[in-house]
Amino acid sequence: MGDVALDVLRPVGDEQHRAATARLLDDMAALPPEAPVRLGKRTSNLFRQRTTDSTRLDVSDLNHVIDLDPVARTARVQGMTTYEDLVANTLPHALMPLVVPQLRTITLGGAVTGLGIESSSFRSGLPHESVLEAEILTGDGEIVVARPDGEHADLFRTFPNSYGSLGYALSLTIELEPVHPYVALQHVRFCSLADVQDAIGQIMRTRAWSGEEVDFLDGVVFAREEIYLTLGRWADSATGQADPSDYTGQRIFYRSLQQRERDLLTVHDYLWRWDTDWWVLARVRGAAAAGAPPMAEAEAAQRRLLEDRRLREPASRRGLGGRPAREAAAGAGRPGRRDPAGADG
Ligand SMILES: Cc1cc2nc3c(=O)[nH]c(=O)nc-3n(C[C@H](O)[C@H](O)[C@H](O)COP(=O)(O)OP(=O)(O)OC[C@H]3O[C@@H](n4cnc5c(N)ncnc54)[C@H](O)[C@@H]3O)c2cc1C
C-alpha cells in the first residue's frame, strides 16, 4: 500500500471524529468574526497563487475514514481524507468509491466540492452523486448535516462546484461498489474526434464495445489523428496475460496505450495508473520554464529514483497486507503536494 501509514487503515469511529470537529469549532470561534479563513490541508492539487492573506483552519485531524459498513456498502469519511487512504480502507473489503480520481492526494471533500470525474463516471456520475449525507462547517461557524431531503437540502444540492465557498465538508457518507481483482484493458485507436464521439455515445448507451462489456472508459489525445479510448472491464482472473502489468517502475502507462492493444492491471494498480505518470505535471507546474531538464530526461531520472526507493524499502513494508512487493512502491512519487505545514485550500 505504498506510503499509506498504518493508522489510516483503521476507521477512527464517531467519538474521535466528534472530538476533531469540536476542536475545529473552538478554532473558528476564536477568530475575529470577519477574518477570512481557508483550509489548512496537508495536500493540495491547486496550482494557483493566493493574492490575499487568510487564516488557515487546522483540519489535519480530519483525514480518516470514520466508519465503513461492508454490508450496506457505505462509508462515512472525514472531508480531508485522500483517495489513497480511502481506497486503502475500502479495497480490503473488496469495495471502492464509485468514482476514484486519478491522483492519490485528491481528497474526498476536494473532489465533491470541485466536481471530480474519472473513468467510471460514464456509469456512476461524478463523486458528489454518490454522497448520501454531508456534514458541513458553514461560514458562520455552525456545523449542519445536509441531505438530499430536509432542512439543508438546498446546501446539499448546491455544494458541488462551490469550491469551499458555501462551507467545508467535515465528513461525507458515500456509497461504495464491489470490485473484482483485475481490470482488463483494451486501447482502441481512432483517427478522428468525430469517431471517438460516436464510440463514446455507443458505449454510454450499450455499456459494451465489440461485444465486450465496458466498466471503465477514458481516453487520450496524442495528436489530431491519434486518439485512444481505453476500455476497462472487470476480470476475476489474470486471463490472456500471465501477470498483470506494473507501471510503478521504469515503464510508463500513457505510452503503453500506443504500444499494446490489450493489458491487465490489478484493481489497485488500475485505480492509480495515471498517478505513476505524475511527471506529466512538470510542465503544468512551470518546472520546464524554470530550467528543468527536458521531459524525457526528467522522466527517466524520476523512474530511476522510484526504482531505487522501492528496492531500499524494507521487506516488511513491501509486503504489507499481503500485496506484491511492486505495489508497495506505488505510493512513491505521488503528484499532489504533501505539505505538512498546511497547503492552500
Ligand atoms: C493534474 C491534475 C489532475 C487531476 N485529475 C483529476 C481526476 O482524475 N479526477 C478528478 O476528479 N479531478 C482531477 N483533478 C481535479 C481535482 O479533483 C480538483 O482540483 C479537486 O478540487 C482537488 O481536490 P483537493 O482535495 O486536492 O483540494 P484542494 O486542491 O486542496 O482544494 C481545491 C478546492 O476545493 C476546496 N476544498 C477542498 N477540500 C474541501 C472540503 N473538504 N470542503 C469544501 N471545500 C473543499 C478548496 O477550498 C479549494 O477551493 C485533477 C487536478 C489536477 C491538477
Side-chain angles (χ1 to χ4, degrees), residues 2 7 51 67 72 75 94 97 99 112 116 142 171 199 205 271 286 291 293 316 325 334:
D7 77 311
T51 49
D67 42 55
V99 181
V112 166
E142 224 192 302
S171 74
R205 276 192 308 278
L271 293 178
S316 56
R334 61 187 64 190

Side-chain angles (χ1 to χ4, degrees), residues 203-278:
I203 292 165
M204 290 193 69
R205 276 192 308 278
T206 63
R207 288 274 309 268
W209 179 258
S210 298
E212 289 182 28
E213 258 177 61
V214 177
D215 298 303
F216 299 97
L217 168 66
D218 63 356
V220 175
V221 179
F222 285 89
R224 194 183 289 268
E225 284 159 11
E226 190 186 1
I227 305 153
Y228 293 85
L229 286 185
T230 293
L231 316 179
R233 184 170 38 86
W234 287 124
D236 288 318
S237 58
T239 45
Q241 191 171 320
D243 287 309
S245 296
D246 174 6
Y247 294 99
T248 56
Q250 293 291 316
R251 296 170 63 204
I252 295 172
F253 177 70
Y254 79 82
R255 292 202 181 144
S256 74
L257 274 58
Q258 296 172 299
Q259 292 159 354
R260 54 192 302 169
E261 198 198 330
R262 299 272 178 175
D263 207 346
L264 184 83
L265 294 172
T266 64
V267 57
H268 174 275
D269 285 2
Y270 176 75
L271 293 178
W272 304 129
R273 68 203 178 285
W274 292 114
D275 192 279
T276 61
D277 289 348
W278 65 274

Side-chain angles (χ1 to χ4, degrees), residues 181-200:
Y182 302 100
V183 180
L185 303 183
Q186 183 183 6
H187 307 302
V188 186
R189 183 176 172 173
F190 294 86
C191 296
S192 82
L193 278 174
D195 288 349
V196 170
Q197 210 172 334
D198 287 348
I200 293 174

Side-chain angles (χ1 to χ4, degrees), residues 39 41 43-48 50 79-80 99-103 105-111 113-118 127 159 162-165 167-170 172 281 284 343-345:
L39 289 173
K41 291 168 73 243
T43 60
S44 176
N45 290 287
L46 287 180
F47 299 124
R48 61 167 162 72
R50 252 172 208 287
M80 307 334 131
V99 181
V100 177
Q102 63 183 230
L103 303 184
T105 54
I106 291 174
T107 62
L108 179 61
T113 194
L115 290 190
I117 191 165
E118 240 295 320
F159 191 73
S162 65
Y163 279 100
S165 58
Y168 294 135
L170 304 184
L172 296 150
L281 299 183
V284 180
D344 282 359

